[in-house]
Amino acid sequence: MGSLASERSVVGLAAKDATGVLSPYTYTLRKTGEEDVVVKVLYCGICHTDIHQTKNHLGMSNYPMVPGHEVVGEVIEVGPAVSKFQPGDVVGVGVIVGCCRTCTPCKSDVEQYCNKRIWSYNDVYTDGKPTQGGFASTMIVDQKFAVKIPAGLAPEQAASLLCAGVTVYSPLKHFGLMAPGLRGAILGLGGVGHMGVKIAKVMGHHVTVISSSDKKKAEAMDHLGADAYLVSSDAAQMAAAADSLDYIIDTVPVFHPLEPYLSLLKLDGKLILLGVINEPLQFVSPMVMLERKALTGSFIGSMTETQEVLEFCAKKGLTSTIEMVKMDYVNQAIERLERNDVRYRFVVDVAGSKFEP
């Protein structure tokens, strides 16, 4: 692989162990390859997965680890074979930065399901160097795994769409749930869930937010525009809503029972799991057999779908609801995210922050 420059030194915020506490860390990026773009990071969203990874909840973490997979930045250098981008372009980089390009998922334009996918951080690239994420001044990525931020979409708004937005958009598209008039529900009103409400509403769906208490009711209905609000701990409300939904987007990232939500689905209804949960979930088989219901999952989206959801949101005027923070507040932001104390996504102003090794 050719290069335009030698390896460059970069400063980021890294977890050094399973405490997950981030501190300054200096490392080097690989040389700029034929199809690489070098990106000056402007903004990076904070996802619940960053907690799982930095704190080794899944037992697969390698340190030091620079997290962040909702990255928006400016292209500052391109390899000689790059055709999609040029210096000055504003681009997004999401959850994966590599794939085999030869397997069935790769050839089917759903490379996120490639068994040899390379994560944007906590992984090893093809050259043997560890991948590092967007809580850093600079990233380097193959052009295939970058997308253009459309004109009219603020870059800080685009950050959370690279994970939260496409994670909702992809299953709605794949499972044929984009037609107006459907009755859907969003379980869990966090970073992914709030985008689910917004996207489903723009598609013309009747949208119910399901939560364990009524404390988010005003936010869901008055701020996000949900049509209904269902308290899952209220047996009478749950019974009244039985057999009423075409689909449920389940964004909850911790263990929870499935049977109460399966009962809400109509014939052929779908419960789509999006939350990363590190312990088994349970249900009895008649819950799905007797009305041909489907329990399935979905993982982020393809690069094509990522570009689509950015353009969809730009066209429809959709924005995510974010709280901007600086790099020196990231640890506090992660603590707040663990407490669900954010409405609804933290976005780090990387370029506007000062951080030294």
Side-chain angles (χ1 to χ4, degrees):
M1 180 179 286
S3 66
L4 294 182
S6 60
E7 294 182 345
R8 67 186 72 208
S9 181
V10 174
V11 179
L13 291 183
K16 311 295 176 55
D17 54 43
T19 64
V21 175
L22 303 183
S23 59
Y25 171 61
T26 301
Y27 57 102
T28 57
L29 297 178
R30 68 175 183 269
K31 296 178 180 179
T32 307
E34 293 285 327
E35 297 197 23
D36 284 339
V37 293
V38 181
V39 178
K40 175 187 175 183
V41 178
L42 301 176
Y43 302 99
C44 186
I46 304 178
C47 176
H48 205 278
T49 301
D50 296 326
I51 299 172
H52 288 314
Q53 294 281 22
T54 56
K55 298 196 173 185
N56 199 26
H57 289 169
L58 305 178
M60 300 181 294
S61 297
N62 298 291
Y63 303 99
M65 178 201 304
V66 178
H69 62 223
E70 298 180 345
V71 187
V72 174
E74 178 185 347
V75 175
I76 58 174
E77 183 180 292
V78 299
V82 170
S83 57
K84 291 175 58 178
F85 307 105
Q86 59 186 4
D89 286 347
V90 179
V91 301
V93 181
V95 178
I96 63 173
V97 294
C99 63
C100 77
R101 309 195 189 208
T102 60
C103 67
T104 298
C106 286
K107 290 181 177 180
S108 302
D109 198 26
V110 285
E111 62 283 322
Q112 74 271 30
Y113 298 114
C114 172
N115 287 332
K116 295 181 180 179
R117 74 182 77 83
I118 300 174
W119 307 108
S120 54
Y121 68 88
N122 194 36
D123 207 343
V124 178
Y125 200 64
T126 54
D127 61 357
K129 291 179 69 69
T131 59
Q132 303 289 8
F135 293 175
S137 57
T138 313
M139 284 187 74
I140 187 167
V141 63
D142 185 289
Q143 65 172 340
K144 175 178 174 59
F145 298 96
V147 290
K148 287 187 177 180
I149 305 302
L153 184 61
E156 65 273 19
Q157 287 289 340
S160 63
L161 300 179
L162 299 167
C163 176
V166 74
T167 294
V168 171
Y169 179 88
S170 178
L172 291 175
K173 178 183 177 184
H174 175 75
F175 293 112
L177 299 171
M178 295 179 72
L182 294 175
R183 299 181 71 89
I186 307 298
L187 175 57
L189 196 59
V192 176
H194 97 283
M195 285 309 305
V197 175
K198 291 186 176 189
I199 289 173
K201 281 295 296 179
V202 168
M203 290 179 176
H205 298 180
H206 180 282
V207 180
T208 298
V209 168
I210 307 174
S211 190
S212 59
S213 73
D214 61 4
K215 68 180 183 179
K216 295 183 179 180
K217 183 174 182 179
E219 296 176 38
M221 301 191 71
D222 299 337
H223 177 64
L224 298 176
D227 299 288
Y229 190 91
L230 182 58
V231 179
S232 59
S233 59
D234 187 320
Q237 285 189 32
M238 293 291 282
D243 300 311
S244 65
L245 299 172
D246 294 299
Y247 68 86
I248 299 173
I249 298 289
D250 183 347
T251 73
V252 177
V254 296
F255 176 85
H256 56 288
L258 297 179
E259 291 177 1
Y261 308 108
L262 287 167
S263 70
L264 302 176
L265 295 172
K266 299 178 182 177
L267 174 69
D268 290 328
K270 295 175 176 61
L271 175 58
I272 304 168
L273 300 176
L274 302 184
V276 177
I277 302 168
N278 62 349
E279 54 186 307
L281 303 177
Q282 293 181 324
F283 64 96
V284 294
S285 59
M287 291 294 298
V288 294
M289 293 168 55
L290 296 180
E291 290 187 272
R292 204 167 57 194
K293 299 174 183 179
L295 174 64
T296 187
S298 182
F299 174 61
I300 54 170
S302 67
M303 298 312 301
T304 297
E305 289 169 331
T306 304
Q307 189 68 63
E308 282 180 13
V309 76
L310 291 171
E311 293 170 359
F312 175 86
C313 289
K315 180 179 179 180
K316 300 293 186 179
L318 279 184
T319 59
S320 50
T321 303
I322 63 174
E323 180 177 336
M324 292 277 286
V325 299
K326 300 292 188 181
M327 290 282 271
D328 61 5
Y329 190 78
V330 167
N331 286 308
Q332 293 97 310
I334 289 174
E335 290 176 2
R336 286 178 53 194
L337 177 58
E338 287 189 282
R339 301 193 303 267
N340 198 28
D341 178 23
V342 58
R343 298 296 178 268
Y344 289 94
R345 202 67 151 188
F346 285 115
V347 174
V348 184
D349 179 5
V350 178
S353 300
K354 294 181 180 180
F355 55 104
E356 299 295 337

